[in-house]
Amino acid sequence: MNHPNFNEMAGRLMVALDYPGAEQAQELVQALEGIPCYLKVGMQLFYAAGPDFIRELKSKGYSVFLDVKMHDIPNTVRGGAESITRLGVDMFNVHAAGGTSMMRAAREGAEAALAADPSLRRPEIIAVTQLTSTSQETMNTEIGIQGSVEAAVVRYAGLAHEAGLDGVVASPLEVPAIRAACGSDFHTVTPGIRPAGSGLGDQTRVLTPGEAIVRGSHYIVVGRPITGAPNPREAAETILKEMLNA
């Protein structure tokens, strides 16, 4: 694709490798060869393929977001963050619901790994606010958080900012409010992206790729509209065109 901003915008597209094993994921990575997108490895694939698969992606030059959503006591998260940083990923996440002490511990774990090995790069550490599958009714009646989803997301974003993290995972719908509360340098990673005409799946708070870019999303996460497409490369290029034309 011949566009002066192609590489920069491709680096803002995170393709979710939501596969049960490395073989299927490698097929998609091969199909996307030449597109310098970010790759997101979630729990299903990481638990199956392990750290070696992350190292393989890094050896091919990809930026990697390890999406394991740590949520535990601070000491455990500190250790997990140290191990993840040693693995060489570019981004990982924790749950903001774990509180500021836990989020600070994630940062401390990353810093400990960097102190032990200065050749490592500091990964971005981001916090999950509310999952894009969570409706207000679920949040109010089951999770037990009152008020609007946006208010809860912005409150969690403020806690993550206070804890010294780099950004949050949120719906693209909430990006303007997060930017207003935490500043434009506080990164937003937005799942819940569905190109026009694609199904919602289990998502409830969604926007198209172009709409997300216009609202200020730093990164957009796309899974099934690419991984489930008959031609994944063509699907990724169509999404990139929409992002570039937003």
Side-chain angles (χ1 to χ4, degrees), residues 16-39:
L17 300 180
D18 293 333
Y19 292 103
E23 185 176 344
Q24 299 97 318
Q26 285 163 343
E27 289 177 7
L28 180 72
V29 172
Q30 186 173 358
L32 298 176
E33 187 175 355
I35 299 176
C37 55
Y38 229 107
L39 297 178

Side-chain angles (χ1 to χ4, degrees), residues 157-169:
L159 293 175
H161 190 260
E162 179 186 331
L165 299 197
D166 301 290
V168 289
V169 183

Side-chain angles (χ1 to χ4, degrees), residues 46-69:
F46 186 63
Y47 294 161
D52 285 344
F53 183 69
I54 301 295
R55 296 186 186 101
E56 181 181 340
L57 294 179
K58 290 302 301 175
S59 72
K60 293 179 178 178
Y62 285 101
S63 294
V64 176
F65 169 22
L66 185 57
D67 180 17
V68 290
K69 299 182 179 71

Side-chain angles (χ1 to χ4, degrees), residues 213-236:
I213 293 297
V214 168
R215 281 178 170 255
S217 294
H218 289 91
Y219 301 99
I220 70 168
V221 180
V222 183
R224 284 163 285 187
I226 292 176
T227 60
N231 186 329
R233 185 184 187 87
E234 185 178 285

